[in-house]
């Protein structure tokens, strides 16, 4: 048994060595479902199996060349041609995590989720990015240091290259200091959020509309960030509470609102929602959570504002894509 364990360990060691070699692994975007049929058709033709044995050799070569060309075209289309600007709200249970993907696949991530018994960074966010053929994040925005927003950070940094981290303007505590140190020790460019900051990402504008003060911590320190593209926008509010909403001086208008604090009654006042005027209100929340989120009054406030309420506990991952100058819910 010890000898077997030794040889298995050596295989794992060698695999890690090979994986560390530059360009030894390549992540590609997910191909269209029909391309899998093409792949097996190519395989059958190449191996000369089944009914293809009855084909003339020249015919088989022509079919093989034609199917291969279509398969290559599907690969190029999935990896290089522009896609609609889109935002994905991932189902990370009782936590927050969203991914904005620009037409040429620049990636902006908002929070990482965080569950005590499950690594959302390694097991949800990193595999999701690999489905786009991505092993890197252009901007990672952390709204604040609460665990349900940053608990997946360690696993994410272990699996994905993060180029820039925008950290919250928050007073450190014993609980949040390790997350801050984790950010500082990464190879990413580090930026502390300041109101008024703007970043351009593949035609999209990332704006810091508000931050907590240096004496604040937790929910009250949440950064409020808006991403705009071609006249349409998404507002990320972290866990901003009602007191900050009432003193929020920037114009928060947006087509999509990431509802603050998982739909808690401590946020989403009628006045604030009336200023945002969202077409879609997305609530990132865990099924049957012990907090009773989302609050019924908050849902009614959102519906009264004529917002379409979308919940991750009911729909799972929520994708909203910009189609013909309007955000559209895609299944």
């Amino acid at each position: 048994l010890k000898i077997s364990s030794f040889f298995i360990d050596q295989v794992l060691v060698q695999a890690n060595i090979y994986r560390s070699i530059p360009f030894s692994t390549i992540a590609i975007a997910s191909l269209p479902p029909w391309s899998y049929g093409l792949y097996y058709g190519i395989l059958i033709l190449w191996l000369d199996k089944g009914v293809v044995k009855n084909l003339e050799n020249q015919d088989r070569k022509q079919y093989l060349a034609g199917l291969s060309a279509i398969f290559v075209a599907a690969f190029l289309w999935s990896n290089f041609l522009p896609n609609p600007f889109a935002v994905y709200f991932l189902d990370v249970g009782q936590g927050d995590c969203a991914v904005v993907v620009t037409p040429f696949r620049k990636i902006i991530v908002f929070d990482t989720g965080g569950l005590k018994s499950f690594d959302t960074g390694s097991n949800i966010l990193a595999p999701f990015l690999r489905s786009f053929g991505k092993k890197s994040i252009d901007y990672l925005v952390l709204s604040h240091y609460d665990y349900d927003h940053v608990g997946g950070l360690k696993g994410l940094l272990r699996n994905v290259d993060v180029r820039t981290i925008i950290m919250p303007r928050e007073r450190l505590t014993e609980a949040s200091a390790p997350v801050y140190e984790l950010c500082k020790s990464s190879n990413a460019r580090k930026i502390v959020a300041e109101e008024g900051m703007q970043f351009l990402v593949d035609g999209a504008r990332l704006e810091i509309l508000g931050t907590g003060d240096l004496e604040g911590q937790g929910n009250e320190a949440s950064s409020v960030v808006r991403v705009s593209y071609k006249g349409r926008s998404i507002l990320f509010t972290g866990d901003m509470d009602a007191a900050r909403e009432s003193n929020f001086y920037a114009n928060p208008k947006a087509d999509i609102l990431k509802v603050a604090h998982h739909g808690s009654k401590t946020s989403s006042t009628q006045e604030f929602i009336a200023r945002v005027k969202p077409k879609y209100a997305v609530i990132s929340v865990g099924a049957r959570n012990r907090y009773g989120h989302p609050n019924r009054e908050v849902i009614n406030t959102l519906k009264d504002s004529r917002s379409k309420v979308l919940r991750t506990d009911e729909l799972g991952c929520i994708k909203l894509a910009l189609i013909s100058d309007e955000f559209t819910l895609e299944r």
Side-chain angles (χ1 to χ4, degrees):
L1 183 60
K2 288 184 178 180
I3 295 175
S4 298
S5 297
F6 170 78
F7 284 114
I8 290 172
D9 288 342
Q10 296 313 302
V11 170
L12 294 175
V13 168
Q14 291 178 37
N16 284 325
I17 292 173
Y18 292 137
R19 187 180 64 176
S20 66
I21 299 173
F23 306 109
S24 62
T25 60
I26 301 174
I28 64 171
S30 297
L31 295 172
W34 50 264
S35 66
Y36 297 104
L38 275 179
Y39 170 77
Y40 286 107
I42 292 168
L43 194 62
I44 290 170
L45 284 166
W46 183 66
L47 294 174
D48 195 21
K49 297 292 184 180
V51 295
V52 302
K53 287 184 175 180
N54 299 322
L55 293 175
E56 295 290 337
N57 194 44
Q58 186 64 28
D59 291 337
R60 186 167 62 85
K61 288 180 179 178
Q62 289 177 352
Y63 283 128
L64 183 60
L67 291 179
S68 298
I70 297 172
F71 187 79
V72 170
F75 170 81
L76 294 174
W77 175 77
S78 296
N79 285 273
F80 300 107
L81 292 184
N83 287 329
F85 178 88
V87 57
Y88 299 79
F89 296 89
L90 304 191
D91 181 8
V92 290
Q94 186 68 14
D96 269 18
C97 182
V99 180
V100 171
V101 183
T102 72
F104 287 97
R105 295 172 187 80
K106 295 293 184 180
I107 303 292
I108 308 171
V109 173
F110 292 86
D111 290 332
T112 66
L115 298 171
K116 296 294 185 183
S117 57
F118 188 78
D119 186 347
T120 54
S122 294
N123 298 315
I124 296 179
L125 186 48
F128 178 80
L129 295 173
R130 283 197 290 270
S131 73
F132 288 96
K134 301 297 291 187
K135 295 170 65 177
S136 64
I137 294 169
D138 296 281
Y139 284 86
L140 171 61
V141 183
L142 303 178
S143 62
H144 61 300
Y145 288 129
D146 279 5
Y147 190 84
D148 59 331
H149 291 253
V150 299
L153 179 62
K154 185 175 183 179
L156 179 66
L157 292 176
R158 192 167 57 242
N159 289 276
V160 175
D161 175 41
V162 179
R163 292 170 181 163
T164 301
I165 301 176
I166 300 179
M167 302 184 294
R169 194 167 181 260
E170 177 176 356
R171 179 167 61 87
L172 295 179
T173 65
E174 185 177 348
S176 62
V179 183
Y180 175 82
E181 292 302 326
L182 187 62
C183 292
K184 296 294 284 185
S185 64
S186 74
N187 293 325
R189 177 175 63 140
K190 275 76 71 173
I191 298 172
V192 176
E194 293 288 350
E195 186 175 327
M197 282 182 170
Q198 295 190 18
F199 307 88
L200 289 178
V201 189
D202 190 21
R205 176 176 280 103
L206 189 161
E207 307 171 79
I208 311 295
L209 298 186
T211 64
D213 60 54
L214 288 175
E215 295 305 313
Q217 64 183 77
N219 296 343
E220 64 188 273
S222 294
S223 296
V224 180
V225 182
R226 180 168 58 201
V227 176
S228 306
Y229 184 78
K230 291 189 174 180
R232 299 300 175 187
S233 56
I234 314 154
L235 185 67
F236 297 91
T237 55
D239 284 349
M240 181 170 67
D241 59 19
R244 277 191 64 199
E245 288 180 352
S246 64
N247 293 310
F248 197 78
Y249 300 112
N251 177 13
K253 193 174 185 310
D255 300 279
I256 301 171
L257 169 67
K258 197 294 296 183
V259 177
H261 202 192
H262 322 290
S264 165
K265 65 181 179 181
T266 61
S267 306
S268 304
T269 60
Q270 288 183 350
E271 294 76 16
F272 186 74
I273 299 303
R275 292 178 64 198
V276 179
K277 297 179 182 177
K279 178 180 178 181
Y280 293 101
V282 180
I283 303 176
S284 185
V285 64
R288 299 178 297 278
N289 64 86
R290 62 191 177 93
Y291 306 101
H293 296 159
N295 179 265
R296 175 53 55 184
E297 291 182 14
V298 168
I299 293 177
N300 290 338
T301 296
L302 294 167
K303 288 182 175 179
D304 289 345
S305 73
R306 298 185 179 179
S307 299
K308 183 173 179 59
V309 178
L310 308 173
R311 299 168 47 172
T312 58
D313 62 331
E314 295 178 344
L315 300 175
C317 178
I318 296 168
K319 176 185 179 183
L320 290 158
L322 192 55
I323 309 293
S324 300
D325 298 324
E326 293 286 344
F327 277 112
T328 302
L329 176 64
E330 293 195 352
R331 300 293 185 179

